[in-house]
Amino acid sequence: MNKNLIEVEGLRKYFNVGGGNVLKAVNDISFSIAEGETLGLVGESGCGKSTAGRTILRLYEPTGGSVKFNGVDISKLPSKKMKAMRRDMQMIFQDPYASLNPRFTVTDIIGEALDIHNMAGSRAERKKRVEELLDMVGLNPDHATRYPHEFSGGQRQRIGIARALAVNPKFIICDEPISALDVSIQAQVVNLLKDLQDRLGLTYLFIAHDLSMVKHISDRVAVMYLGRIVELAESEELYANPMHPYTKTLLSAIPIPDPEIEANKKRILLEDNANGPIQSAKGGSGGGAFDLENSELVEVTKGHWVSMPKK
Ligand SMILES: Nc1ncnc2c1ncn2[C@@H]1O[C@H](COP(=O)(O)OP(=O)(O)OP(=O)(O)O)[C@@H](O)[C@H]1O
Ligand SMILES: [Mg+2]
């Protein structure tokens, strides 16, 4: 087992949402990611996945808890040191349309990432590096002078991947990188990310809202619900033996190709959550279907953690 590259401990991110209310978007999450590993992070829309990703990279200041990168606690680093650290930690975004500046050429988009960290060198070196990166993600280096709208969705996501790779990061948060793509293209992008991981020794946090998308790329999967992790296990184990009711619900939401099975499949319905993760600043419980407030992660079998009511 490789050493941990990322160690997240008790991480919280609260937002003030007006009227004295606090939204606990990320509410005390802990996990580690070993060097070269992919940890999947899944959960339905709004459960806090992107906020968790952004808080880990300190694009959002954490409300509490810590994040260690290579043993260094980055949650309190001064901004100059944080900027240097950010080179090692990159993000790929869900929407390859919105995340690329339409007025920039591909060279400008990828070159900008190099410029921020003073890695561009001479004009010729910059051009060469951009072409090398395009080749690495399976795009034609001759298309470096084109604009984002000249590419398909899958190709744009490849540009986003090249931009993230430009600064030679060790860790990449892939925030739903395939959700916006045609199903036929999704596997290609996942395979590219896997390939790059093997070649470059990358470590990934791979965010998705359904389990089927992370199955093939993740070594382990963490299931997030209302700002918390309710289950964490090796991928195979999680699919074969889901224990938390919410994980079972997520699994039951994966469409089964056989229409007869699909029709007969029982969907496990979650109880309605009265007010989700929003809690009054003066106290009062948000409750939720599983009384998460009074639960804790317990290691049920080796490496398989499940949220259980506190004894
Ligand atoms: N900057 C912000 N200010 C206030 N609330 C926010 C902010 N960013 C996110 N939230 C809220 O925090 C919660 C978690 O949002 P987040 O975007 O992290 O969810 P997500 O799991 O990534 O969802 P999706 O699958 O739709 O991307 C949501 O209720 C969202 O409205
Ligand atoms: Mg998100």
Side-chain angles (χ1 to χ4, degrees):
M1 189 67 176
N2 291 343
K3 72 176 169 81
N4 289 335
L5 185 67
I6 300 290
E7 285 169 330
V8 174
E9 192 60 53
L11 194 67
R12 296 170 185 270
K13 179 64 193 177
Y14 296 174
F15 295 111
N16 289 317
V17 288
N21 288 319
V22 172
L23 175 74
K24 299 185 173 182
V26 174
N27 193 0
D28 189 5
I29 62 169
S30 304
F31 54 79
S32 57
I33 314 177
E35 225 163 41
E37 186 187 28
T38 298
L39 178 71
L41 182 62
V42 299
E44 69 199 314
S45 186
C47 73
K49 305 178 298 294
S50 296
T51 304
R54 287 168 175 272
T55 309
I56 289 168
L57 297 189
R58 260 186 82 189
L59 300 172
Y60 289 155
E61 283 304 320
T63 305
S66 68
V67 177
K68 281 188 188 153
F69 179 84
N70 237 337
V72 178
D73 186 350
I74 63 165
S75 33
K76 286 160 202 86
L77 279 186
S79 57
K80 219 175 175 170
K81 287 212 168 114
M82 192 57 223
K83 188 191 165 200
M85 206 58 134
R86 221 163 251 141
R87 205 178 115 175
D88 289 330
M89 313 167 81
Q90 292 290 309
M91 195 148 176
I92 298 168
F93 299 93
Q94 170 169 4
D95 187 346
Y97 294 83
S99 61
L100 303 177
N101 188 329
R103 285 182 291 274
F104 276 23
T105 64
V106 170
T107 301
D108 296 332
I109 289 167
I110 299 173
E112 189 187 35
L114 295 168
D115 297 338
I116 290 171
H117 294 284
N118 302 317
M119 294 170 76
S122 69
R123 263 188 90 86
E125 282 165 344
R126 190 177 191 258
K127 182 167 178 285
K128 187 164 163 275
R129 177 69 178 141
V130 169
E131 288 173 356
E132 189 180 286
L133 285 158
L134 290 177
D135 185 54
M136 208 186 266
V137 298
L139 291 173
N140 185 342
D142 295 340
H143 294 171
T145 53
R146 294 189 179 182
Y147 291 87
H149 73 262
E150 298 177 73
F151 295 88
S152 68
Q155 289 173 326
R156 284 185 217 203
Q157 196 53 291
R158 287 172 192 262
I159 298 169
I161 295 168
R163 175 176 59 185
L165 290 177
V167 294
N168 294 321
K170 295 189 174 71
F171 173 58
I172 301 181
I173 295 185
C174 308
D175 189 359
E176 307 214 33
I178 58 171
S179 303
L181 304 177
D182 287 350
V183 174
S184 59
I185 308 295
Q186 289 179 346
Q188 291 174 17
V189 173
V190 166
N191 287 339
L192 172 67
L193 287 168
K194 261 184 147 168
D195 217 52
L196 291 167
Q197 178 171 46
D198 292 343
R199 278 163 66 189
L200 305 171
L202 297 167
T203 303
Y204 290 148
L205 179 67
F206 194 99
I207 297 174
H209 55 256
D210 81 60
L211 278 162
S212 63
M213 284 195 190
V214 298
K215 188 171 181 181
H216 298 293
I217 195 162
S218 304
D219 299 294
R220 290 181 304 144
V221 175
V223 178
M224 197 167 175
Y225 179 67
L226 296 179
R228 297 176 190 258
I229 289 173
V230 295
E231 187 158 1
L232 195 161
E234 288 193 4
S235 291
E236 295 287 317
E237 164 70 8
L238 192 81
Y239 285 89
N241 191 20
M243 291 186 192
H244 195 276
Y246 181 67
T247 311
K248 291 179 184 172
T249 307
L250 274 186
L251 280 170
S252 80
I254 297 175
I256 298 173
D258 185 326
E260 206 160 315
I261 297 176
E262 175 64 18
N264 292 329
K265 193 178 63 175
K266 273 197 221 107
R267 283 176 191 272
I268 307 159
L269 293 173
L270 288 172
E271 291 167 41
D272 192 35
N273 275 287
N275 50 359
I278 296 187
Q279 307 202 343
S280 153
K282 295 179 199 77
S285 165
F290 310 115
D291 193 13
L292 296 172
E293 206 60 60
N294 294 307
S295 297
E296 60 190 345
L297 273 183
V298 175
E299 192 171 21
V300 176
T301 54
K302 196 174 176 324
H304 193 153
W305 296 78
V306 186
S307 176
M308 306 273 246
K310 277 183 195 161
K311 291 233 172 71

